[in-house]
Amino acid sequence: MTVGVGQHITRLRLWHLPLTSHTAYHMADGKTCDTVETVVIAIDTDAGLTGWGEVCPIPHYLPAYARGVAPALQELAPVILGGDPVGVGALMAKADAFLHGHVYAKSALDIALWDITGQAAGLPIHALMGGRRQDTLPLYHSITCVEPDEMARIAGEAKATGITQFQAKLGASGDWQTDVERLAKVREAVGRGPLVYGDGNCGATTLDAIRVGRGAAQLDVMLEQPCATLEDCARVQSATGLPMKLDELAHDTATLLEGHRLGIMDAVALKLSKFGGLSATRRARDLCLHLGAKMCIECTWGGDIVTAAALHLGAATPPNRVLNVCDLSGYVSPRLAPDAPTRADGRITPPDGPGLGIAIDQDCLGTPDLILD
């Protein structure tokens, strides 16, 4: 379908849907990700197109709240309804001017607008973002923070499927020695070569993080976001000499620049909902290309919609700068799109259809919790 004059948004629908993890994810500082509510939106136009968006905040993890999405979009209704969905930047600029902040809620809106724009152009989103740079994308496997031997078993099973990058959650037991053992057992299970990194999820003191880093210094590992501030992460990096990946604290231009200045951004997680959707995350991606960081392009959590969106941005990024992506939808149920990508041989293939390139099974969603028209 081609873009026509007079295409406007006529309706927004919203659902709250529980996503259940296949295994409970235990993290530092008492954080757990088990069953989490995702927010799915559909934006309909008078040209007969429907764009899909999703955001799935994890409770007690970042300043975002699933039940905050609907009120934010209700506030934005005067901007959304009647707006031109094609040419995402213009409508998102109006949304930002009308309602400051609340970027996680706007993330779902931005994704849905890109879906419509791609459908209107008859092109996948990655084509609109510069073109597909690689056929498949590398995945990492996230390992819940449990007993070291069990983490090693999980790592070994994931390696057997072709995975070569392993994120080992740390800190749930509260003692640094067990975290060193976790990293050692995972490294032993996957052998030399694969990337192993220990994710502290901001829950460690500098003392404990330094002891973990020094204890694991001979294992060829990377640390991910051990502490709650950039300055403390920099102290850990300086004391251990290990490469570091930023995650929770990377959420805008200022934090990316500061992480780079402090020398703690060898890699960085670019999560769509933290930046405000595909548009803002693409700008962050471009800055990271300039700064030299490798990128994990993903989101906080979610299902098929947000996974597909992140894969499109990953596909349009230079391959040598994509550390990995994540098949978030592969960790949870239910699946919302039967035709959505799944992992194969440690990698995943982005969709090729127009827009997001996936077909949503609306029977899984039921009756909308909110309709704006």
Side-chain angles (χ1 to χ4, degrees):
M1 180 177 293
T2 58
V3 180
V5 176
Q7 182 164 193
H8 298 98
I9 295 170
T10 57
R11 183 174 62 167
L12 182 149
R13 292 169 287 157
L14 180 147
W15 296 261
H16 299 97
L17 185 74
L19 291 181
T20 300
S21 303
H22 296 165
T23 184
Y25 274 83
H26 302 292
M27 298 175 276
D29 209 23
K31 301 182 184 78
T32 300
C33 183
D34 189 355
T35 297
V36 179
E37 191 170 67
T38 196
V39 182
V40 173
I41 70 168
I43 293 178
D44 302 315
T45 77
D46 56 7
L49 300 180
T50 297
W52 293 91
E54 180 185 12
V55 61
C56 186
I58 300 177
H60 317 301
Y61 176 62
L62 291 170
Y65 174 47
R67 291 284 165 158
V69 177
L73 294 178
Q74 285 177 296
E75 188 73 16
L76 285 168
V79 173
I80 298 170
L81 297 176
D84 184 350
V86 176
V88 182
L91 188 56
M92 290 307 298
K94 292 178 181 177
D96 288 337
F98 193 87
L99 178 66
H100 291 199
H102 304 278
V103 296
Y104 69 97
K106 293 173 183 172
S107 178
L109 172 62
D110 182 88
I111 291 169
L113 295 176
W114 275 105
D115 189 17
I116 292 172
T117 300
Q119 292 177 52
L123 294 170
I125 291 173
H126 59 70
L128 302 177
M129 292 197 160
R132 185 164 173 167
R133 305 291 296 270
Q134 54 185 321
D135 291 335
T136 64
L137 295 159
L139 291 166
Y140 72 90
H141 189 79
S142 184
I143 305 171
T144 182
C145 189
V146 288
E147 291 302 310
D149 286 337
E150 176 64 6
M151 294 178 71
R153 184 193 67 78
I154 295 169
E157 287 186 350
K159 184 187 178 186
T161 69
I163 293 287
T164 60
Q165 301 186 43
F166 303 86
Q167 179 199 64
K169 295 293 185 181
L170 304 178
S173 56
D175 65 294
W176 68 272
Q177 296 100 323
T178 305
D179 281 342
V180 174
E181 186 181 358
R182 289 179 172 109
L183 290 171
K185 290 290 181 67
V186 169
R187 170 54 72 197
E188 181 182 8
V190 303
R192 298 178 60 183
L195 177 65
V196 173
Y197 49 105
D199 184 8
N201 285 115
C202 295
T205 63
T206 53
L207 175 59
D208 286 346
I210 289 169
R211 297 178 88 178
V212 170
R214 288 179 172 174
Q218 304 306 312
L219 297 176
D220 180 25
V221 296
M222 177 170 67
L223 297 180
E224 178 176 354
Q225 193 72 72
C227 303
T229 69
L230 292 172
E231 293 77 12
D232 282 349
C233 288
R235 291 174 60 194
V236 172
Q237 198 283 329
S238 177
T240 63
L242 292 177
M244 188 168 290
K245 175 188 172 190
L246 285 186
D247 182 0
E248 289 87 348
L249 292 175
H251 56 82
D252 59 14
T253 298
T255 52
L256 293 174
L257 289 171
E258 183 64 5
H260 174 72
R261 187 188 70 81
L262 291 170
I264 54 174
M265 203 169 75
D266 301 295
V268 60
L270 300 184
K271 295 184 173 177
L272 302 181
S273 65
K274 288 165 54 183
F275 287 87
L278 282 165
S279 301
T281 309
R282 179 174 64 167
R283 294 192 293 270
R285 186 276 312 267
D286 291 344
L287 177 59
C288 289
L289 290 176
H290 172 72
L291 297 176
K294 283 206 166 189
M295 290 164 274
C296 169
I297 299 175
E298 55 170 351
C299 202
T300 48
W301 205 237
D304 288 310
I305 297 170
V306 75
T307 296
L311 295 182
H312 281 287
L313 181 57
T317 301
N320 65 336
R321 301 299 291 280
V322 178
L323 180 71
N324 50 46
V325 296
C326 186
D327 56 334
L328 292 167
S329 54
Y331 289 83
V332 299
S333 60
R335 299 295 297 262
L336 297 181
D339 62 342
T342 56
R343 65 170 62 181
D345 298 323
R347 300 179 72 87
I348 192 165
T349 302
D352 258 335
L356 286 171
I358 58 175
I360 303 304
D361 179 3
Q362 296 192 47
D363 290 339
C364 290
L365 297 173
T367 303
D369 297 315
L370 173 70
I371 298 177
L372 300 174
D373 53 17

